[in-house]
Structures are given as structure tokens and as C-alpha cells.
Amino acid sequence: MGRRLLFVPLPFQGHINPMFHLASLLHSRGFAITIFHTHFNSPDPDNYPKSYRFIPVPDNLPDTVRSSKDAVALIHALNKSCQASFRDSLGELLSEEEEEEEESVACVIFDAHWYALQAVAKKLGVATMVLRTGNATSFNLFMAFPLLLEKGYLPIQESQLDALVSELPPLRVKDLPRLMITSLESFTELLARGVEQVRTSSGLILNTFDSIESSELDQIKRDLSIPVYPIGPLHKLSTQTQTQSSLLAPDQSCMAWLDSQAPKSVIYVSFGSLAFMDPNELVEIAWGLANSGHPFLWVVRPNLVHGSDRIELPKWFEEETRGRGRVVPWAPQQEVLSHPAVGGFWTHCGWNSILEAICEGVPMLCRPFFGDQTGNARYVNHVWKVGIVLEGKVERGRTERAIKTLIAEREGDEMRERMADLKAKAAQCTMTGGSSYLAIDNLVDSILALQPRS
Ligand code: UDP
């Protein structure tokens, strides 16, 4: 009898991608795969291997809640609304297994933020593991959060912005999570409940790799009494393409446009799937791109500007940049980053985006928005020295300078050289005997050794 793994991705693009990569990786190691998914942002089963089983978990959330910009409030609402339906669906699957002697369930792999559903699985006697889709630094921060509150680092005080957080060096107060519209109480609760569930799980899987975060991983291993598996970069280890799990259809026509550009000349601009800005910032970015004189590929999501579902760029922008730029609603990001014409990536510093840039050796211009993005930007700029951070208000003159530095000046070239080293390290860790390769073997052995349901 084979073993079946159950996966519960959080329904946001930056969480869906790594979870499906993990499913693909473990499928290639012989596990049968079942995906539990919400109706909100649900995957299309036709995009995945026929042998995957998909089980819907009705979330019953009204559209007003689903379209909330407060991602943390939405995650709490999903946990609450899915708990009972997940209990029913999981219970049904387990009794089916007993009756039909199908593959026995080895464990459920949850996104770290599904705290309420993890509690359900444990009650039903199923082993759980947790995938944290961010990096090791952010998980250390999750664990240290109560202490940071107690010590007064949070809520962030303007007068303390440059102070070092001595518990989490090299983070400074300004690198701690910025909350755009979420309340500190709601964020603290999310982290506390997530960490509590990780501590009582059978293992923590992280989409990072040893050579970029070795001391941060050591710290997690010291603080947790469960096994930790750093098995990233996951997108380089799965056979699944990015398009398969994309919630928006990528505009492939930008690839032919990139073919017509000179090597390392284009700045690719994308702020991920959730970040949003005010209309003024969009205009300042447009001016920065126009005035830089460099070719660009800019992802302008329909909901990138707060309060609007459709964005029209100013008329002058098209006139100023004619023939030099492309604007698309969604890009095939991994393909774009691996294209030889791309010389820099202006990013919001989501962890997937950073890993994808590292794997293709593309230096970054960082404009973090919220959550772990500020801490990620600190590592890009200060620890790995492969990017420039745009601090404070986005303003056309500063963005124009930063783009020129990254694409065409010595400082940008030096970052590109250091990026080539990081890219090589990322490739090494997934090769036979590399740190992630060994951690995957270890993970597979541990899953196989888990006791069937108690
Ligand atoms: N992405 C994409 N096309 C785009 C923008 C983003 O395919 O035009 C993908 C990107 O490659 C990454 C994910 O969406 O895998 C975004 O995850 P990330 O952690 O970078 O940011 P988030 O969206 O969670 O803030």
C-alpha cells in the first residue's frame, strides 16, 4: 500500500506556488497527492497531473470579505469559516481510506497560517507538517514577536527606526513588519497561533537553503524541538511550471518583446500579487521609468492601486516611453527573470520573488510594502549586497537614479557579480549531496516513518 500526502495551501499566489511545487516534488518521490482547497482562489485541477485528487473546502465568505485588502483579517476569516467544512472533508476522506484500503494517509502538510485547520487534523489523529513559504528570518521573527512587543520594539516608533533589534541582527526597527491596514493585535494573534501549531507538528519545511540563511536556520533549530527541513528553492526542484498555478493568466507576448532587447538592459518591475499603492506613487514610478531612459517591463495588476479595479496609465507615459517599454497585467515571472535581456528587478521583496531573482542572478531594486518584505529587503541589501533599497516615499528623481545605478553603473555590475555567486550557491544546494537535496531525502524518510493514524 502506498502513502498519500494531503496538502492545504493558503489561497494566495505567493503561498499557492511553493505549496504546489512541494506537492510536485513529493509526487516525484512516489507519494499520492490530495489537495484541499478553498473556493476562494481555487486551483484548476485540469492544470495538474490527472492522479492528483482535489477536495473543495467551502469557505462561504461573502465577496466583500474576499476582496478585503487586509490579508491578515482575511486569513483569520478563512480559518474560521473553513474549520467545520475541513473537519467534514478530512473526516470523510479518512473513513473512505479505512473502508477501501486506499493509500494510507501519511500526513497533512499545511501552510503555516492555517492554524485552525491544523488543530482539526491533530484532533482527528493525523500527523501534520507545516510549510512556511517565507524565509528562516521571518520565522525567527514570528517566534520572537512576543518578546519584541514586550521590549517595546513594537509598535514601531518613528524615533527608533534605525535602532538595531539586538535579538534578530541585522534587522533594525524599520525592518520589522510594517502593517498597512492590519491591526497589531490581529497580526500578533496570527503569528502566535501559527507558531503554536508548528511547535506541535511533526516538522517544519522551509522554502530556503542553507548557504543563504545558515545562522538563521540554526537559530530555528535551537528554538524548536521538531525537525526542520530547509529544502528550497522549491521552484527549482519541481516539474511544475509557474503558469500551472497562476491565478491570473500571464501575458506571454512580453517574451517576444524581451527577445528584441539588448542583454541586461531591461528593468523588470513587479510588486507581486497583493501589494497596493496610492495613485500618486504609481505616477512617480511611471516618471522614474520614463526618465531613466532604460527599457522596462512593468506588471500593472488591475488592482495595484488602492480603491480601483482598473488602471489607466497617464497619456504622457505612453508618449514618453513609446518603443521602450511594455506594461502587462501579469507576467510569466520566472521566464522573464531568466531572460538574458533582464538586467534588474524592481520588486516588493516577496520571498518567492527574491528566490526567483537569486536563481536567475538578477540584482534588485527593493521597495518593500508590508509584512516580511521589509526584513527581506534588509537581507538583499545589507547581508547579500545584491540590491538597492528605495526608502521613504517613492519619488521620481530617486527612482530614476536607482534604476540607472542598477542597470548601467559599476555598483550595479558589482551586485550582478555577487548575484552570480548566489545563483551558483542556489544551484549547488539542489545537486546530489547539496544541503537541500539531503534535507529532501531526510524529509521523505521522516514522512515514511510517521505512524499511521492513532
Ligand atoms: N508572479 C507572477 N507574475 C507576476 C507577478 C508575480 O507569476 O506578474 C509570481 C511570482 O513569480 C511569485 C508570486 O507570483 O512566484 C508572488 O509571490 P511573492 O512571494 O513574490 O509575493 P506576494 O504576491 O506573496 O506578495
PDB file of all heavy atoms in Angstrom, residues 19-49:
ATOM      1  N   MET A  19       3.594  25.725  -2.391  1.00  0.00           N
ATOM      2  CA  MET A  19       2.913  24.515  -1.923  1.00  0.00           C
ATOM      3  C   MET A  19       2.750  23.525  -3.081  1.00  0.00           C
ATOM      4  O   MET A  19       2.961  22.315  -2.913  1.00  0.00           O
ATOM      5  CB  MET A  19       1.558  24.880  -1.312  1.00  0.00           C
ATOM      6  CG  MET A  19       0.840  23.743  -0.641  1.00  0.00           C
ATOM      7  SD  MET A  19       1.737  23.060   0.779  1.00  0.00           S
ATOM      8  CE  MET A  19       0.927  23.858   2.165  1.00  0.00           C
ATOM      9  N   PHE A  20       2.383  24.020  -4.252  1.00  0.00           N
ATOM     10  CA  PHE A  20       2.242  23.110  -5.388  1.00  0.00           C
ATOM     11  C   PHE A  20       3.601  22.588  -5.866  1.00  0.00           C
ATOM     12  O   PHE A  20       3.704  21.463  -6.362  1.00  0.00           O
ATOM     13  CB  PHE A  20       1.446  23.757  -6.527  1.00  0.00           C
ATOM     14  CG  PHE A  20      -0.045  23.587  -6.338  1.00  0.00           C
ATOM     15  CD1 PHE A  20      -0.823  24.616  -5.831  1.00  0.00           C
ATOM     16  CD2 PHE A  20      -0.669  22.381  -6.631  1.00  0.00           C
ATOM     17  CE1 PHE A  20      -2.192  24.454  -5.633  1.00  0.00           C
ATOM     18  CE2 PHE A  20      -2.031  22.203  -6.436  1.00  0.00           C
ATOM     19  CZ  PHE A  20      -2.796  23.241  -5.935  1.00  0.00           C
ATOM     20  N   HIS A  21       4.636  23.409  -5.707  1.00  0.00           N
ATOM     21  CA  HIS A  21       5.979  22.898  -6.045  1.00  0.00           C
ATOM     22  C   HIS A  21       6.353  21.755  -5.096  1.00  0.00           C
ATOM     23  O   HIS A  21       6.930  20.748  -5.508  1.00  0.00           O
ATOM     24  CB  HIS A  21       7.025  24.014  -5.962  1.00  0.00           C
ATOM     25  CG  HIS A  21       6.954  24.999  -7.089  1.00  0.00           C
ATOM     26  ND1 HIS A  21       6.905  24.603  -8.410  1.00  0.00           N
ATOM     27  CD2 HIS A  21       6.926  26.356  -7.111  1.00  0.00           C
ATOM     28  CE1 HIS A  21       6.841  25.681  -9.187  1.00  0.00           C
ATOM     29  NE2 HIS A  21       6.851  26.749  -8.430  1.00  0.00           N
ATOM     30  N   LEU A  22       6.012  21.929  -3.816  1.00  0.00           N
ATOM     31  CA  LEU A  22       6.315  20.874  -2.842  1.00  0.00           C
ATOM     32  C   LEU A  22       5.529  19.603  -3.186  1.00  0.00           C
ATOM     33  O   LEU A  22       6.070  18.487  -3.132  1.00  0.00           O
ATOM     34  CB  LEU A  22       5.962  21.368  -1.425  1.00  0.00           C
ATOM     35  CG  LEU A  22       6.197  20.371  -0.293  1.00  0.00           C
ATOM     36  CD1 LEU A  22       7.676  19.979  -0.196  1.00  0.00           C
ATOM     37  CD2 LEU A  22       5.730  20.953   1.054  1.00  0.00           C
ATOM     38  N   ALA A  23       4.262  19.783  -3.570  1.00  0.00           N
ATOM     39  CA  ALA A  23       3.444  18.615  -3.942  1.00  0.00           C
ATOM     40  C   ALA A  23       4.080  17.902  -5.135  1.00  0.00           C
ATOM     41  O   ALA A  23       4.202  16.667  -5.153  1.00  0.00           O
ATOM     42  CB  ALA A  23       2.019  19.063  -4.276  1.00  0.00           C
ATOM     43  N   SER A  24       4.518  18.687  -6.120  1.00  0.00           N
ATOM     44  CA  SER A  24       5.124  18.095  -7.315  1.00  0.00           C
ATOM     45  C   SER A  24       6.403  17.323  -6.955  1.00  0.00           C
ATOM     46  O   SER A  24       6.634  16.209  -7.419  1.00  0.00           O
ATOM     47  CB  SER A  24       5.417  19.220  -8.325  1.00  0.00           C
ATOM     48  OG  SER A  24       6.361  18.825  -9.263  1.00  0.00           O
ATOM     49  N   LEU A  25       7.209  17.943  -6.092  1.00  0.00           N
ATOM     50  CA  LEU A  25       8.464  17.307  -5.671  1.00  0.00           C
ATOM     51  C   LEU A  25       8.194  15.968  -4.963  1.00  0.00           C
ATOM     52  O   LEU A  25       8.835  14.952  -5.266  1.00  0.00           O
ATOM     53  CB  LEU A  25       9.194  18.287  -4.734  1.00  0.00           C
ATOM     54  CG  LEU A  25      10.380  17.783  -3.940  1.00  0.00           C
ATOM     55  CD1 LEU A  25      11.516  17.382  -4.872  1.00  0.00           C
ATOM     56  CD2 LEU A  25      10.882  18.878  -2.987  1.00  0.00           C
ATOM     57  N   LEU A  26       7.214  15.972  -4.054  1.00  0.00           N
ATOM     58  CA  LEU A  26       6.953  14.741  -3.298  1.00  0.00           C
ATOM     59  C   LEU A  26       6.200  13.712  -4.141  1.00  0.00           C
ATOM     60  O   LEU A  26       6.343  12.502  -3.938  1.00  0.00           O
ATOM     61  CB  LEU A  26       6.222  15.074  -1.989  1.00  0.00           C
ATOM     62  CG  LEU A  26       7.113  15.871  -1.011  1.00  0.00           C
ATOM     63  CD1 LEU A  26       6.328  16.381   0.183  1.00  0.00           C
ATOM     64  CD2 LEU A  26       8.299  15.024  -0.521  1.00  0.00           C
ATOM     65  N   HIS A  27       5.440  14.184  -5.114  1.00  0.00           N
ATOM     66  CA  HIS A  27       4.795  13.276  -6.068  1.00  0.00           C
ATOM     67  C   HIS A  27       5.873  12.500  -6.831  1.00  0.00           C
ATOM     68  O   HIS A  27       5.777  11.277  -7.026  1.00  0.00           O
ATOM     69  CB  HIS A  27       3.939  14.109  -7.037  1.00  0.00           C
ATOM     70  CG  HIS A  27       3.112  13.299  -7.970  1.00  0.00           C
ATOM     71  ND1 HIS A  27       3.103  13.510  -9.322  1.00  0.00           N
ATOM     72  CD2 HIS A  27       2.265  12.263  -7.754  1.00  0.00           C
ATOM     73  CE1 HIS A  27       2.302  12.644  -9.900  1.00  0.00           C
ATOM     74  NE2 HIS A  27       1.778  11.885  -8.980  1.00  0.00           N
ATOM     75  N   SER A  28       6.940  13.226  -7.206  1.00  0.00           N
ATOM     76  CA  SER A  28       8.024  12.562  -7.954  1.00  0.00           C
ATOM     77  C   SER A  28       8.761  11.547  -7.077  1.00  0.00           C
ATOM     78  O   SER A  28       9.489  10.701  -7.578  1.00  0.00           O
ATOM     79  CB  SER A  28       9.007  13.594  -8.525  1.00  0.00           C
ATOM     80  OG  SER A  28       9.770  14.153  -7.476  1.00  0.00           O
ATOM     81  N   ARG A  29       8.564  11.641  -5.745  1.00  0.00           N
ATOM     82  CA  ARG A  29       9.172  10.650  -4.840  1.00  0.00           C
ATOM     83  C   ARG A  29       8.200   9.513  -4.522  1.00  0.00           C
ATOM     84  O   ARG A  29       8.398   8.766  -3.569  1.00  0.00           O
ATOM     85  CB  ARG A  29       9.606  11.315  -3.526  1.00  0.00           C
ATOM     86  CG  ARG A  29      10.689  12.367  -3.680  1.00  0.00           C
ATOM     87  CD  ARG A  29      11.977  11.735  -4.183  1.00  0.00           C
ATOM     88  NE  ARG A  29      13.097  12.641  -4.123  1.00  0.00           N
ATOM     89  CZ  ARG A  29      14.055  12.603  -3.207  1.00  0.00           C
ATOM     90  NH1 ARG A  29      14.047  11.685  -2.267  1.00  0.00           N
ATOM     91  NH2 ARG A  29      15.039  13.454  -3.246  1.00  0.00           N
ATOM     92  N   GLY A  30       7.110   9.456  -5.242  1.00  0.00           N
ATOM     93  CA  GLY A  30       6.234   8.278  -5.131  1.00  0.00           C
ATOM     94  C   GLY A  30       4.994   8.452  -4.264  1.00  0.00           C
ATOM     95  O   GLY A  30       4.242   7.496  -4.084  1.00  0.00           O
ATOM     96  N   PHE A  31       4.765   9.644  -3.710  1.00  0.00           N
ATOM     97  CA  PHE A  31       3.569   9.828  -2.877  1.00  0.00           C
ATOM     98  C   PHE A  31       2.351  10.140  -3.741  1.00  0.00           C
ATOM     99  O   PHE A  31       2.463  10.835  -4.753  1.00  0.00           O
ATOM    100  CB  PHE A  31       3.771  10.991  -1.896  1.00  0.00           C
ATOM    101  CG  PHE A  31       4.761  10.694  -0.807  1.00  0.00           C
ATOM    102  CD1 PHE A  31       6.085  11.106  -0.916  1.00  0.00           C
ATOM    103  CD2 PHE A  31       4.374   9.981   0.319  1.00  0.00           C
ATOM    104  CE1 PHE A  31       7.008  10.822   0.080  1.00  0.00           C
ATOM    105  CE2 PHE A  31       5.288   9.694   1.326  1.00  0.00           C
ATOM    106  CZ  PHE A  31       6.610  10.106   1.207  1.00  0.00           C
ATOM    107  N   ALA A  32       1.195   9.641  -3.321  1.00  0.00           N
ATOM    108  CA  ALA A  32      -0.065  10.069  -3.937  1.00  0.00           C
ATOM    109  C   ALA A  32      -0.437  11.420  -3.323  1.00  0.00           C
ATOM    110  O   ALA A  32      -0.118  11.693  -2.161  1.00  0.00           O
ATOM    111  CB  ALA A  32      -1.146   9.043  -3.651  1.00  0.00           C
ATOM    112  N   ILE A  33      -1.094  12.268  -4.139  1.00  0.00           N
ATOM    113  CA  ILE A  33      -1.312  13.661  -3.714  1.00  0.00           C
ATOM    114  C   ILE A  33      -2.795  14.005  -3.651  1.00  0.00           C
ATOM    115  O   ILE A  33      -3.532  13.778  -4.620  1.00  0.00           O
ATOM    116  CB  ILE A  33      -0.628  14.641  -4.715  1.00  0.00           C
ATOM    117  CG1 ILE A  33       0.862  14.313  -4.893  1.00  0.00           C
ATOM    118  CG2 ILE A  33      -0.854  16.106  -4.307  1.00  0.00           C
ATOM    119  CD1 ILE A  33       1.736  14.510  -3.697  1.00  0.00           C
ATOM    120  N   THR A  34      -3.201  14.586  -2.531  1.00  0.00           N
ATOM    121  CA  THR A  34      -4.548  15.165  -2.425  1.00  0.00           C
ATOM    122  C   THR A  34      -4.406  16.627  -2.017  1.00  0.00           C
ATOM    123  O   THR A  34      -3.616  16.951  -1.121  1.00  0.00           O
ATOM    124  CB  THR A  34      -5.387  14.431  -1.357  1.00  0.00           C
ATOM    125  OG1 THR A  34      -5.618  13.092  -1.817  1.00  0.00           O
ATOM    126  CG2 THR A  34      -6.733  15.109  -1.136  1.00  0.00           C
ATOM    127  N   ILE A  35      -5.170  17.490  -2.699  1.00  0.00           N
ATOM    128  CA  ILE A  35      -5.122  18.927  -2.387  1.00  0.00           C
ATOM    129  C   ILE A  35      -6.476  19.348  -1.826  1.00  0.00           C
ATOM    130  O   ILE A  35      -7.513  19.161  -2.484  1.00  0.00           O
ATOM    131  CB  ILE A  35      -4.852  19.764  -3.674  1.00  0.00           C
ATOM    132  CG1 ILE A  35      -3.650  19.233  -4.471  1.00  0.00           C
ATOM    133  CG2 ILE A  35      -4.755  21.257  -3.339  1.00  0.00           C
ATOM    134  CD1 ILE A  35      -2.296  19.592  -3.971  1.00  0.00           C
ATOM    135  N   PHE A  36      -6.478  19.901  -0.631  1.00  0.00           N
ATOM    136  CA  PHE A  36      -7.687  20.540  -0.099  1.00  0.00           C
ATOM    137  C   PHE A  36      -7.613  22.013  -0.474  1.00  0.00           C
ATOM    138  O   PHE A  36      -6.582  22.643  -0.255  1.00  0.00           O
ATOM    139  CB  PHE A  36      -7.730  20.422   1.427  1.00  0.00           C
ATOM    140  CG  PHE A  36      -8.114  19.051   1.910  1.00  0.00           C
ATOM    141  CD1 PHE A  36      -7.144  18.086   2.133  1.00  0.00           C
ATOM    142  CD2 PHE A  36      -9.444  18.734   2.139  1.00  0.00           C
ATOM    143  CE1 PHE A  36      -7.492  16.821   2.573  1.00  0.00           C
ATOM    144  CE2 PHE A  36      -9.802  17.467   2.587  1.00  0.00           C
ATOM    145  CZ  PHE A  36      -8.830  16.500   2.792  1.00  0.00           C
ATOM    146  N   HIS A  37      -8.695  22.545  -1.030  1.00  0.00           N
ATOM    147  CA  HIS A  37      -8.615  23.943  -1.455  1.00  0.00           C
ATOM    148  C   HIS A  37      -9.918  24.686  -1.179  1.00  0.00           C
ATOM    149  O   HIS A  37     -11.010  24.094  -1.225  1.00  0.00           O
ATOM    150  CB  HIS A  37      -8.281  24.023  -2.949  1.00  0.00           C
ATOM    151  CG  HIS A  37      -9.335  23.438  -3.820  1.00  0.00           C
ATOM    152  ND1 HIS A  37     -10.382  24.166  -4.295  1.00  0.00           N
ATOM    153  CD2 HIS A  37      -9.516  22.163  -4.263  1.00  0.00           C
ATOM    154  CE1 HIS A  37     -11.165  23.374  -5.012  1.00  0.00           C
ATOM    155  NE2 HIS A  37     -10.675  22.150  -4.994  1.00  0.00           N
ATOM    156  N   THR A  38      -9.795  25.970  -0.917  1.00  0.00           N
ATOM    157  CA  THR A  38     -10.971  26.815  -0.713  1.00  0.00           C
ATOM    158  C   THR A  38     -11.605  27.116  -2.067  1.00  0.00           C
ATOM    159  O   THR A  38     -10.964  26.941  -3.110  1.00  0.00           O
ATOM    160  CB  THR A  38     -10.548  28.148  -0.072  1.00  0.00           C
ATOM    161  OG1 THR A  38      -9.514  28.719  -0.877  1.00  0.00           O
ATOM    162  CG2 THR A  38     -10.040  27.953   1.341  1.00  0.00           C
ATOM    163  N   HIS A  39     -12.839  27.634  -2.045  1.00  0.00           N
ATOM    164  CA  HIS A  39     -13.443  28.112  -3.292  1.00  0.00           C
ATOM    165  C   HIS A  39     -12.760  29.397  -3.719  1.00  0.00           C
ATOM    166  O   HIS A  39     -12.561  29.642  -4.898  1.00  0.00           O
ATOM    167  CB  HIS A  39     -14.945  28.337  -3.100  1.00  0.00           C
ATOM    168  CG  HIS A  39     -15.698  27.037  -3.062  1.00  0.00           C
ATOM    169  ND1 HIS A  39     -16.976  26.938  -2.576  1.00  0.00           N
ATOM    170  CD2 HIS A  39     -15.337  25.792  -3.446  1.00  0.00           C
ATOM    171  CE1 HIS A  39     -17.382  25.668  -2.664  1.00  0.00           C
ATOM    172  NE2 HIS A  39     -16.398  24.962  -3.187  1.00  0.00           N
ATOM    173  N   PHE A  40     -12.391  30.187  -2.726  1.00  0.00           N
ATOM    174  CA  PHE A  40     -11.686  31.448  -2.996  1.00  0.00           C
ATOM    175  C   PHE A  40     -10.310  31.125  -3.605  1.00  0.00           C
ATOM    176  O   PHE A  40      -9.556  30.326  -3.062  1.00  0.00           O
ATOM    177  CB  PHE A  40     -11.537  32.187  -1.648  1.00  0.00           C
ATOM    178  CG  PHE A  40     -10.622  33.368  -1.686  1.00  0.00           C
ATOM    179  CD1 PHE A  40     -10.875  34.441  -2.530  1.00  0.00           C
ATOM    180  CD2 PHE A  40      -9.510  33.423  -0.855  1.00  0.00           C
ATOM    181  CE1 PHE A  40     -10.037  35.545  -2.555  1.00  0.00           C
ATOM    182  CE2 PHE A  40      -8.669  34.531  -0.866  1.00  0.00           C
ATOM    183  CZ  PHE A  40      -8.934  35.584  -1.721  1.00  0.00           C
ATOM    184  N   ASN A  41     -10.011  31.713  -4.747  1.00  0.00           N
ATOM    185  CA  ASN A  41      -8.735  31.463  -5.444  1.00  0.00           C
ATOM    186  C   ASN A  41      -8.449  29.973  -5.634  1.00  0.00           C
ATOM    187  O   ASN A  41      -7.334  29.498  -5.387  1.00  0.00           O
ATOM    188  CB  ASN A  41      -7.555  32.108  -4.691  1.00  0.00           C
ATOM    189  CG  ASN A  41      -7.503  33.613  -4.889  1.00  0.00           C
ATOM    190  OD1 ASN A  41      -8.129  34.145  -5.800  1.00  0.00           O
ATOM    191  ND2 ASN A  41      -6.742  34.294  -4.059  1.00  0.00           N
ATOM    192  N   SER A  42      -9.461  29.239  -6.062  1.00  0.00           N
ATOM    193  CA  SER A  42      -9.271  27.785  -6.140  1.00  0.00           C
ATOM    194  C   SER A  42      -8.422  27.395  -7.354  1.00  0.00           C
ATOM    195  O   SER A  42      -8.445  28.077  -8.384  1.00  0.00           O
ATOM    196  CB  SER A  42     -10.624  27.077  -6.194  1.00  0.00           C
ATOM    197  OG  SER A  42     -11.227  27.349  -7.421  1.00  0.00           O
ATOM    198  N   PRO A  43      -7.654  26.311  -7.236  1.00  0.00           N
ATOM    199  CA  PRO A  43      -6.828  25.863  -8.369  1.00  0.00           C
ATOM    200  C   PRO A  43      -7.687  25.200  -9.437  1.00  0.00           C
ATOM    201  O   PRO A  43      -8.798  24.760  -9.149  1.00  0.00           O
ATOM    202  CB  PRO A  43      -5.900  24.835  -7.720  1.00  0.00           C
ATOM    203  CG  PRO A  43      -6.641  24.341  -6.527  1.00  0.00           C
ATOM    204  CD  PRO A  43      -7.544  25.443  -6.067  1.00  0.00           C
ATOM    205  N   ASP A  44      -7.165  25.126 -10.652  1.00  0.00           N
ATOM    206  CA  ASP A  44      -7.871  24.435 -11.733  1.00  0.00           C
ATOM    207  C   ASP A  44      -7.269  23.035 -11.863  1.00  0.00           C
ATOM    208  O   ASP A  44      -6.134  22.882 -12.316  1.00  0.00           O
ATOM    209  CB  ASP A  44      -7.691  25.228 -13.040  1.00  0.00           C
ATOM    210  CG  ASP A  44      -8.382  24.552 -14.213  1.00  0.00           C
ATOM    211  OD1 ASP A  44      -8.862  23.404 -14.041  1.00  0.00           O
ATOM    212  OD2 ASP A  44      -8.423  25.162 -15.295  1.00  0.00           O
ATOM    213  N   PRO A  45      -8.017  21.987 -11.454  1.00  0.00           N
ATOM    214  CA  PRO A  45      -7.465  20.622 -11.486  1.00  0.00           C
ATOM    215  C   PRO A  45      -6.918  20.237 -12.853  1.00  0.00           C
ATOM    216  O   PRO A  45      -5.990  19.433 -12.954  1.00  0.00           O
ATOM    217  CB  PRO A  45      -8.660  19.751 -11.096  1.00  0.00           C
ATOM    218  CG  PRO A  45      -9.557  20.652 -10.329  1.00  0.00           C
ATOM    219  CD  PRO A  45      -9.382  22.029 -10.912  1.00  0.00           C
ATOM    220  N   ASP A  46      -7.481  20.821 -13.945  1.00  0.00           N
ATOM    221  CA  ASP A  46      -7.009  20.471 -15.293  1.00  0.00           C
ATOM    222  C   ASP A  46      -5.535  20.829 -15.512  1.00  0.00           C
ATOM    223  O   ASP A  46      -4.905  20.350 -16.441  1.00  0.00           O
ATOM    224  CB  ASP A  46      -7.846  21.196 -16.360  1.00  0.00           C
ATOM    225  CG  ASP A  46      -9.232  20.589 -16.453  1.00  0.00           C
ATOM    226  OD1 ASP A  46      -9.421  19.471 -15.917  1.00  0.00           O
ATOM    227  OD2 ASP A  46     -10.122  21.245 -17.032  1.00  0.00           O
ATOM    228  N   ASN A  47      -5.012  21.728 -14.668  1.00  0.00           N
ATOM    229  CA  ASN A  47      -3.613  22.143 -14.841  1.00  0.00           C
ATOM    230  C   ASN A  47      -2.615  21.211 -14.160  1.00  0.00           C
ATOM    231  O   ASN A  47      -1.411  21.468 -14.192  1.00  0.00           O
ATOM    232  CB  ASN A  47      -3.399  23.547 -14.246  1.00  0.00           C
ATOM    233  CG  ASN A  47      -4.075  24.610 -15.086  1.00  0.00           C
ATOM    234  OD1 ASN A  47      -4.391  24.355 -16.242  1.00  0.00           O
ATOM    235  ND2 ASN A  47      -4.292  25.777 -14.512  1.00  0.00           N
ATOM    236  N   TYR A  48      -3.117  20.164 -13.511  1.00  0.00           N
ATOM    237  CA  TYR A  48      -2.222  19.326 -12.698  1.00  0.00           C
ATOM    238  C   TYR A  48      -2.307  17.871 -13.160  1.00  0.00           C
ATOM    239  O   TYR A  48      -3.224  17.509 -13.899  1.00  0.00           O
ATOM    240  CB  TYR A  48      -2.620  19.452 -11.213  1.00  0.00           C
ATOM    241  CG  TYR A  48      -2.468  20.870 -10.726  1.00  0.00           C
ATOM    242  CD1 TYR A  48      -3.537  21.757 -10.764  1.00  0.00           C
ATOM    243  CD2 TYR A  48      -1.231  21.339 -10.289  1.00  0.00           C
ATOM    244  CE1 TYR A  48      -3.388  23.080 -10.365  1.00  0.00           C
ATOM    245  CE2 TYR A  48      -1.072  22.653  -9.886  1.00  0.00           C
ATOM    246  CZ  TYR A  48      -2.154  23.517  -9.923  1.00  0.00           C
ATOM    247  OH  TYR A  48      -1.995  24.826  -9.541  1.00  0.00           O
ATOM    248  N   PRO A  49      -1.365  17.036 -12.691  1.00  0.00           N
ATOM    249  CA  PRO A  49      -1.407  15.628 -13.088  1.00  0.00           C
ATOM    250  C   PRO A  49      -2.780  15.015 -12.777  1.00  0.00           C
ATOM    251  O   PRO A  49      -3.387  15.329 -11.754  1.00  0.00           O
ATOM    252  CB  PRO A  49      -0.309  14.989 -12.232  1.00  0.00           C
ATOM    253  CG  PRO A  49       0.628  16.102 -11.923  1.00  0.00           C
ATOM    254  CD  PRO A  49      -0.215  17.351 -11.833  1.00  0.00           C
TER     255      PRO A  49
END
